[in-house]
Amino acid sequence: MSEADHHRLSTLIEEEVTSGQIRLKEANLKDLKLLCRRHDDLIREAFRLLRRHLERNHAEARWSAYLLVKELFERSHLFRELLIDDLHEFLVLVAEIDRSQPLPPPKPVACRLKEHSVATLKIWFEKFGNSYKKLELGFNFLKDTQKIRISNASPAPANLYVVPTAAKDTNVGSLNRKRIDRVLAEHVEHQEEMDSLLTEIENLFGLIVPDFENSLDSDSTPTTSSSHSSSLRHHGLHSSTYHVQVELLPVSFRVNRTAENEAMIEKIEENSILLNRKFLPKVVGWLAILSKSGAEEENVKAFIDAKQRLEGALRKAAALGIQFARPMVRRKRAAETAEGEDSEEEENDFEEVPEKEGLELVIPPNKRKEYGLEMISQNAQRSSNDDAPCCSKTLAPESSSSQGATNSALLSKAPIVKFGADLEGWGQDKAPTASFQSPYEGLHRFWRSSDATPEEFTNQEVAASLTNRAIPFIGKFEPVKWFCRAPLPSGQLCPRMDRERCPFHGKVVPRGPDGVPAREDDRYREMLEKEKATASRTPDWQDPALLRDIEAQTGRNLKVEKRKKAKKDGNLTDVKALTENPRKRLEKIVLNKSAVSRVAGELDRIQKQDAAEKFSHNWNYSTL
Amino acid sequence: MIPDLNGCSFQFLGQFNELLNVRYNNPRGLHARLRGERAKFPCLSKFKEVERTYAAAVNALDVSLGDGRFLLSGGGDGSIVVHGVTKPSTTVQQVYPVLGKVPSKSPHAHDYSVSACQFYPHDPGMFITAGTDCQVKLWDTHRMTPAHKFSFDLPILDSHTSSLKSAKPLIAVACMDKYAYICDIRTLARTHTLEGHRAAVTCTRWANDGPYLLATGGADGKILLWDVRKARSCLGHLDSGNNASMAHNAGVVNTAHERSVISLEFAEDAHHLVSFGADHRIRLWSTVSHKNTMVDYGRVAFEFRDMTRHLQMSMSSQTQPSLIYIPSGDKILVYEMMTGVKIATLTAHFGHVLACAYHPSLQYLFSGATDRNILLWAPADEFKDFEEEMEEGRRKQLERSAKRIANGAVQMQQLQMDTWSDDED
């Protein structure tokens, strides 16, 4: 037993408890058991630690701690004695026997914990009940007093909750491994073919365009050429600092097909089509699978290299003007039309439809009767003749041509106003009134007051709306002609053009050529603001540049470390996140103290008002 | 239903006591020290247990005085049970049987929970129970039927009868209506009403040093001392700070506890009174000077919310040192009375412990709790020789079985052994 053992014990337990897993890791468990075997003190320490973890407000932590307790309970007499001495508390923590101390969230884990712990207690009772009296008491207590139904079915065997080390995360791991193996096998299968294609194509490039790489490179970077000053002087030029920039446009190295290179180009074409269609998608797919299933870095790197090589070759082919991107017939056709080689072909896509006989939308006049359209047209004609007053434009009275000229000139000037109720009575003496008859007039069928003329009730507002029209005056937009011209730290003046107020420098005021306000009071105000700003700034000794210098010289870290909240919970489910739901968020708003007091105050006020209205007269009668 | 008293003829212990009375009862003698050693570290008895019969909490316990053959208990459902404690048996393993029971459904039982129960000190043929149904009942133990009922207006929290031989048979009753009452068994009448508490009276005990001296504790935190002979019977109150003189008025603000007094008990030496309060304190008072002796017992958990409650603590009898057993939460705390040293913490209950009763001649402790158990705490080394014998036998058996295992025959279960073995593979 030593300090190291204690440390190891606590780390082991901590690791298991914060794993958040349903099951324990066998390796850790074995280590723990080996440790506990060594000394009784370690068992006591383990018990103390586990007991503390059992008190945590997290069901997953309690679950893991409970599993560990279970393992040790089966093994050590001392541990059994310690636990049984504390059985009541233990049951409160894992079996929820005290209503006032419910198990913590997450709920499913808590339920599982409760169920299993009760079943486990039964097993313990059956196994050890004879020699540990308190265990018997506890079991009877659960059975008789708590009325907890203890199922006869034994819980899942303990080893179900221990992950064997060898088959570590069996399911996922093995599946991934299989996938990776399959990909590697496929790669080996195709690698030879791909490599040969690639080398072939690369060699051909070399043959067709000598030093292909360099010439491709040079087009992107501007080339600088200078010549010796002495030689230049011979040509009558004084300066040697001429830089002639020759910019090569990214021209595709279209190769002319000749009898010589015909075969090579065809070969390149063939290969690049094969690479593009068959191998590129394959490599991309393999890469995706490998990266998903977590393959070794080397494999992934090899695949990335292969992909890059492939893409490079295809790029070169494309630069040579070789069409390889037509894996399907349809796409090939589209590519051709885009180039405009033969556009008839696309038209052929439309099916030829024969002219349809029978359904005619335009009916010839001789057939109208046949279609029953005769009557409709006649009716229409008659009705149009009957309506003499017509507002149609065609019927407007023709004016003389001279008048027309002035009119049209005036009309072009005249503002256009929408037709409204005010225009209806335009120019009439008596404005239309919004009137209605008195509601009391017709209350009786026969009797009517003699003097009461049928007076009209008029509503002034409505009447006004019938005669007047409000036209809002918007005014004319005047562009801003001035700048803010406040001095900037860069030495320039603020170029913003705001009408009233610059968002950075406040009110726009007249300023002199150096940006200083022309008026005295503006100058004073600006000075005050500046003082305020310097007061709120960090003091000089906290200047980051200065601090950096000091740090560099002294080699000390002057930064005050922000205290990081240690994340204690490891892989446990975040319980706080579970409780973070819309209801809680709304509760925070609706039920916060100020809101509640405000609402309560309002309700009080209403109640007082009601009471005052109802009972305010009570005292009037009391003064007798 | 009727307890078999004649069957319990295990009386030599009592006779033995009588014979060696002088030496045996010397409070500082060898026997007292031996008994003290036995009573100091009780643990859950492996061999003896009390028959389980309750379907409710066990509220009150009492061991019959003198011979200690009976254990009386009252339940939270109003039922009353008498267990025979020292019924002889041929084996060490023993369950103390139920001799008589008044089930909660019986018309004689208390309607609500029983708050206190006590054998009539001079004769276990009669016992007294008090209940929260506002009644105090006198029972005939043979018939298990009540002989008389005293009715009150409010629930009774505690009752007590003096065990002094010189004392008159009076029952002190602590009632929730702020008064303590005294009932005379001879006349079957309520003779006194003791007025002085400002809240419910939670506990009451007759003193050991005088037949007429009574102490009551209340939910107002006061402990009042009474002399029932006097017209103005309140002698005074106890003050935790020893500030006030023993003024003859009970209206002074200084109290014995800051919150309700939960339990009271006079020490056997008649010079001390122990009180336990809801303010988590135990105080030891001198009955001579009526002052707080300022013994510090530390903080003692009290987990109930309602203050008008009586828990039954217990004192060891004729032991050196004197011990107190205090129910606290689901534990029982053992203190040395005079020094305030906590000697042991007894944990086995699964609910709040409500009552303790000490068995003077066997140095057993009985405890009742809300988990419906009456547990028996015996000295740790009670059957040591027997256990050793058993251990020896077991070892021999193990050896034999080990031989057999070596031969591949049978595997013996070793329950109290470590079983790390599967680590080795």
Side-chain angles (χ1 to χ4, degrees):
Chain A
M1 188 201 59
S2 68
E3 196 70 14
D5 283 350
H6 276 274
H7 183 70
R8 174 96 185 107
L9 186 74
S10 69
T11 47
L12 270 178
I13 288 176
E14 179 77 32
E15 189 186 324
E16 272 308 314
V17 167
T18 54
S19 71
Q21 299 293 317
I22 300 179
R23 305 193 280 181
L24 302 173
K25 278 189 201 124
E26 199 184 25
N28 284 354
L29 188 61
K30 204 163 198 172
D31 276 7
L32 185 68
K33 281 191 262 183
L34 279 174
L35 266 177
C36 288
R37 261 186 101 165
R38 279 195 213 158
H39 204 281
D40 279 358
D41 273 3
L42 285 169
I43 292 178
R44 284 199 188 91
E45 175 74 5
F47 176 76
R48 195 183 61 77
L49 289 170
L50 285 173
R51 181 73 177 64
R52 217 178 56 204
H53 282 303
L54 278 175
E55 280 170 15
R56 285 171 74 152
N57 276 332
H58 201 296
E60 283 172 4
R62 285 197 191 182
W63 167 258
S64 299
Y66 152 76
L67 288 179
L68 288 173
V69 165
K70 201 171 141 187
E71 289 295 331
L72 290 177
F73 187 91
E74 302 269 340
R75 300 221 155 41
S76 160
H77 170 63
L78 177 63
F79 193 87
R80 279 197 287 269
E81 282 201 328
L82 288 170
L83 186 80
I84 285 171
D85 217 37
D86 197 36
L87 193 61
H88 184 204
E89 294 293 313
F90 176 73
L91 287 180
V92 166
L93 292 174
V94 300
E96 205 177 20
I97 57 171
D98 188 352
R99 289 277 164 79
S100 64
Q101 296 179 47
L103 290 183
K107 207 170 178 189
V109 185
C111 286
R112 188 175 60 210
L113 177 61
K114 192 176 167 184
E115 211 172 283
H116 277 270
S117 56
V118 170
T120 305
L121 191 78
K122 186 182 178 226
I123 290 176
W124 287 351
F125 166 68
E126 281 164 359
K127 197 171 173 189
F128 302 107
N130 288 333
S131 39
Y132 299 94
K133 178 108 186 187
K134 208 176 155 184
L135 200 56
E136 193 186 334
L137 285 175
F139 181 72
N140 286 334
F141 173 70
L142 280 194
K143 206 173 64 183
D144 300 340
T145 311
Q146 291 285 311
K147 307 282 184 204
I148 288 176
R149 202 177 51 198
I150 297 169
S151 60
N152 286 322
S154 57
N159 56 11
L160 194 79
Y161 292 104
V162 178
V163 186
T165 325
K168 202 183 198 174
D169 44 49
T170 37
N171 260 333
V172 185
S174 66
L175 271 179
N176 282 345
R177 196 64 247 169
K178 265 182 200 167
R179 265 185 226 136
I180 292 167
D181 286 346
R182 207 185 305 137
V183 165
L184 291 178
E186 253 178 72
H187 180 232
V188 167
E189 202 177 287
H190 293 289
Q191 195 179 15
E192 211 170 296
E193 195 184 348
M194 201 168 72
D195 277 353
S196 69
L197 282 176
L198 275 171
T199 37
E200 226 173 63
I201 208 171
E202 274 160 6
N203 290 340
L204 285 169
F205 286 143
L207 285 175
I208 289 176
V209 186
D211 206 9
F212 191 71
E213 196 75 56
N214 289 347
S215 66
L216 257 186
D217 281 352
S218 61
D219 67 3
S220 57
T221 55
T223 52
T224 315
S225 67
S226 66
S227 36
H228 288 287
S229 54
S230 59
S231 59
L232 279 171
R233 209 159 283 165
H234 291 306
H235 291 89
L237 298 170
H238 343 275
S239 173
S240 62
T241 55
Y242 287 111
H243 291 275
V244 181
Q245 290 197 338
V246 181
E247 216 159 285
L248 289 179
L249 292 170
V251 186
S252 64
F253 289 72
R254 193 162 285 228
V255 188
N256 295 327
R257 292 191 181 213
T258 57
E260 285 167 9
N261 62 9
E262 177 84 60
M264 291 197 277
I265 289 174
E266 264 176 23
K267 185 74 196 168
I268 291 177
E269 214 167 54
E270 202 178 288
N271 281 8
S272 56
I273 286 171
L274 204 60
L275 285 174
N276 186 44
R277 257 194 243 167
K278 191 177 168 188
F279 290 107
L280 188 64
K282 246 185 200 154
V283 172
V284 170
W286 289 338
L287 255 178
I289 291 172
L290 286 185
S291 55
K292 255 187 210 167
S293 46
E296 292 84 2
E297 207 169 313
E298 291 167 20
N299 282 337
V300 178
K301 255 184 194 163
F303 275 82
I304 288 173
D305 287 345
K307 191 188 161 201
Q308 274 173 350
R309 193 178 165 201
L310 231 165
E311 281 174 346
L314 287 175
R315 215 170 30 242
K316 282 178 193 172
L320 283 173
I322 285 162
Q323 299 295 324
F324 53 81
R326 40 186 165 181
M328 278 174 285
V329 185
R330 191 170 285 267
R331 206 178 285 176
K332 174 182 163 189
R333 192 188 286 165
E336 277 167 353
T337 50
E339 283 185 4
E341 284 179 6
D342 55 1
S343 51
E344 290 103 8
E345 234 179 87
E346 196 184 33
E347 281 173 8
N348 290 353
D349 279 355
F350 293 109
E351 263 184 30
E352 283 221 4
V353 183
E355 290 280 321
K356 191 158 187 186
E357 297 279 337
L359 180 75
E360 299 292 322
L361 289 176
V362 184
I363 298 155
N366 59 339
K367 284 191 177 177
R368 288 183 79 87
K369 198 166 188 179
E370 202 179 311
Y371 282 92
L373 290 169
E374 196 80 355
M375 298 298 286
I376 299 168
S377 63
Q378 272 176 8
N379 283 345
Q381 217 163 9
R382 197 184 302 143
S383 65
S384 67
N385 289 339
D386 287 351
D387 294 345
C390 180
C391 61
S392 82
K393 281 178 184 169
T394 52
L395 288 176
E398 292 284 315
S399 53
S400 65
S401 61
S402 63
Q403 263 184 334
T406 51
N407 266 0
S408 62
L410 284 173
L411 274 175
S412 67
K413 270 191 209 166
I416 294 163
V417 181
K418 274 187 186 170
F419 188 81
D422 54 330
L423 291 183
E424 199 185 356
W426 188 260
Q428 288 174 13
D429 289 343
K430 202 188 172 190
T433 49
S435 63
F436 56 96
Q437 287 200 324
S438 162
Y440 308 109
E441 197 138 346
L443 282 182
H444 201 276
R445 276 188 290 178
F446 315 122
W447 296 101
R448 178 172 298 201
S449 60
S450 57
D451 57 300
T453 52
E455 195 178 314
E456 283 172 339
F457 287 77
T458 54
N459 186 338
Q460 290 302 314
E461 259 181 57
V462 176
S465 81
L466 288 176
T467 54
N468 306 336
R469 171 181 299 214
I471 297 166
F473 174 72
I474 298 165
K476 203 175 164 191
F477 174 73
E478 276 182 35
V480 182
K481 289 174 193 148
W482 51 85
F483 298 93
C484 167
R485 299 187 68 243
L488 295 175
S490 63
Q492 289 172 326
L493 300 178
C494 176
R496 279 192 65 96
M497 295 168 76
D498 296 290
R499 198 175 295 280
E500 295 280 332
R501 199 179 162 75
C502 174
F504 304 112
H505 305 104
K507 204 179 169 195
V508 178
V509 293
R511 289 169 193 271
D514 51 348
V516 176
R519 282 199 297 266
E520 179 67 30
D521 51 342
D522 287 338
R523 238 174 289 158
Y524 179 66
R525 187 170 48 82
E526 212 147 88
M527 195 185 71
L528 282 184
E529 273 168 17
K530 209 175 265 176
E531 272 176 11
K532 216 177 187 180
T534 48
S536 64
R537 223 175 44 198
T538 53
D540 286 342
W541 64 270
Q542 281 183 4
D543 181 34
L546 178 73
L547 289 182
R548 223 176 297 131
D549 285 350
I550 295 174
E551 270 173 27
Q553 282 173 13
T554 58
R556 271 194 198 172
N557 190 8
L558 294 176
K559 268 180 197 158
V560 179
E561 292 277 325
K562 269 188 191 169
R563 222 180 249 181
K564 274 184 196 166
K565 206 179 172 191
K567 206 187 174 195
K568 269 174 79 181
D569 283 354
N571 295 326
L572 299 182
T573 318
D574 189 4
V575 183
K576 268 186 193 161
L578 289 181
T579 55
E580 183 71 28
N581 52 19
R583 193 194 162 85
K584 282 275 152 58
R585 287 199 294 276
L586 281 177
E587 257 178 17
K588 239 183 229 169
I589 300 166
V590 176
L591 298 182
N592 80 5
K593 221 175 178 182
S594 66
V596 168
S597 67
R598 185 162 45 78
V599 171
E602 183 66 13
L603 289 176
D604 272 359
R605 195 187 59 75
I606 291 169
Q607 203 176 5
K608 265 185 198 163
Q609 199 179 337
D610 277 4
E613 275 173 18
K614 274 186 191 165
F615 306 115
S616 58
H617 302 300
N618 275 8
W619 304 108
N620 294 347
Y621 310 107
S622 65
T623 55
L624 281 176
Chain B
M1 199 58 78
I2 297 164
D4 177 18
L5 287 182
N6 299 327
C8 307
S9 54
F10 196 58
Q11 287 181 344
F12 76 86
L13 207 62
Q15 290 161 7
F16 186 67
N17 282 359
E18 296 288 326
L19 281 173
L20 295 171
N21 205 7
V22 182
R23 277 184 65 190
Y24 192 74
N25 286 342
N26 178 8
R28 296 193 174 275
L30 173 68
H31 285 100
R33 263 180 281 145
L34 284 177
R35 279 193 293 264
E37 285 307 310
R38 273 169 67 81
K40 253 184 191 176
F41 303 106
C43 48
L44 210 55
S45 175
K46 285 173 192 161
F47 304 102
K48 314 275 184 193
E49 60 182 292
V50 182
E51 190 183 332
R52 289 162 54 80
T53 167
Y54 275 103
V58 183
N59 277 7
L61 286 169
D62 188 44
V63 177
S64 65
L65 221 66
D67 52 2
R69 286 185 298 170
F70 305 106
L71 174 71
L72 176 67
S73 56
D77 57 354
S79 56
I80 296 156
V81 180
V82 176
H83 285 91
V85 172
T86 49
K87 189 164 183 173
S89 75
T90 50
T91 58
V92 179
Q93 202 81 34
Q94 193 178 1
V95 177
Y96 292 140
V98 174
L99 298 182
K101 181 173 181 180
V102 182
S104 61
K105 284 172 191 163
S106 147
H108 300 310
H110 282 282
D111 288 343
Y112 309 124
S113 67
V114 177
S115 50
C117 62
Q118 191 187 11
F119 277 113
Y120 181 62
H122 314 300
D123 179 12
M126 178 164 82
F127 64 87
I128 303 149
T129 61
T132 44
D133 58 350
C134 317
Q135 287 190 331
V136 173
K137 294 186 184 182
L138 293 176
W139 297 78
D140 179 351
T141 317
H142 289 276
R143 296 200 180 134
M144 290 303 269
T145 51
H148 187 73
K149 292 175 196 170
F150 298 97
S151 288
F152 297 88
D153 297 333
L154 282 176
I156 317 289
L157 295 176
D158 193 15
S159 72
H160 191 244
T161 311
S162 177
S163 56
L164 287 181
K165 283 189 176 149
S166 56
K168 302 283 182 287
L170 301 175
I171 311 170
V173 176
C175 187
M176 264 179 99
D177 60 3
K178 305 184 202 173
Y179 304 122
Y181 298 97
I182 293 183
C183 303
D184 196 331
I185 295 175
R186 292 166 300 185
T187 59
L188 298 180
R190 241 198 270 173
T191 54
H192 293 53
T193 301
L194 306 177
E195 202 175 324
H197 283 288
R198 292 192 171 174
V201 186
T202 51
C203 45
T204 174
R205 282 291 179 270
W206 289 96
N208 288 334
D209 55 347
Y212 303 106
L213 293 179
L214 179 74
T216 56
D220 52 358
K222 278 198 266 189
I223 298 173
L224 300 183
L225 299 172
W226 314 86
D227 185 336
V228 293
R229 294 168 300 185
K230 289 189 181 173
R232 185 170 185 168
S233 53
C234 186
L235 292 175
H237 71 283
L238 300 181
D239 173 26
S240 58
N242 293 336
N243 293 324
S245 58
M246 282 298 290
H248 283 278
N249 61 343
V252 188
V253 192
N254 296 326
T255 56
H257 284 276
E258 276 141 45
R259 294 162 89 180
S260 164
V261 181
I262 299 302
S263 190
L264 273 180
E265 204 73 52
F266 277 97
E268 211 175 36
D269 60 6
H271 300 317
H272 292 98
L273 169 68
V274 179
S275 67
F276 172 39
D279 57 352
H280 309 289
R281 297 280 160 209
I282 303 171
R283 300 219 157 94
L284 180 69
W285 310 88
S286 162
T287 51
V288 181
S289 63
H290 295 254
K291 289 215 164 135
N292 186 356
T293 56
M294 300 292 182
V295 173
D296 182 19
Y297 293 85
R299 190 188 154 88
V300 182
F302 173 75
E303 294 178 351
F304 290 100
R305 269 197 212 149
D306 59 331
M307 296 292 134
T308 53
R309 181 176 279 279
H310 170 236
L311 296 182
Q312 192 185 334
M313 69 162 138
S314 181
M315 292 247 182
S316 68
S317 163
Q318 298 174 337
T319 57
Q320 166 67 24
S322 297
L323 303 168
I324 336 171
Y325 304 95
I326 304 272
S328 163
D330 61 345
K331 301 175 181 70
I332 302 166
L333 309 178
V334 186
Y335 285 97
E336 255 189 51
M337 187 178 78
M338 295 311 293
T339 58
V341 175
K342 183 153 89 179
I343 298 173
T345 306
L346 314 182
T347 56
H349 277 294
F350 286 83
H352 296 289
V353 181
L354 299 175
C356 303
Y358 178 76
H359 194 293
S361 51
L362 295 174
Q363 290 88 43
Y364 286 176
L365 181 74
F366 296 96
S367 64
T370 51
D371 63 356
R372 307 173 186 187
N373 284 331
I374 300 174
L375 296 187
L376 197 163
W377 305 84
D381 53 352
E382 167 137 64
F383 295 103
K384 205 172 179 184
D385 48 350
F386 178 76
E387 269 182 82
E388 275 168 6
E389 225 169 76
M390 263 175 58
E391 194 62 37
E392 184 71 16
R394 199 183 291 146
R395 220 187 59 232
K396 276 182 184 164
Q397 201 177 356
L398 275 177
E399 277 167 13
R400 256 179 276 137
S401 68
K403 274 179 200 166
R404 260 183 287 161
I405 289 162
N407 298 333
V410 193
Q411 189 161 12
M412 177 80 182
Q413 256 204 337
Q414 307 169 24
L415 294 181
Q416 296 212 342
M417 297 299 200
D418 289 352
T419 47
W420 297 103
S421 57
D422 69 327
D423 281 348
E424 285 152 9
D425 53 27

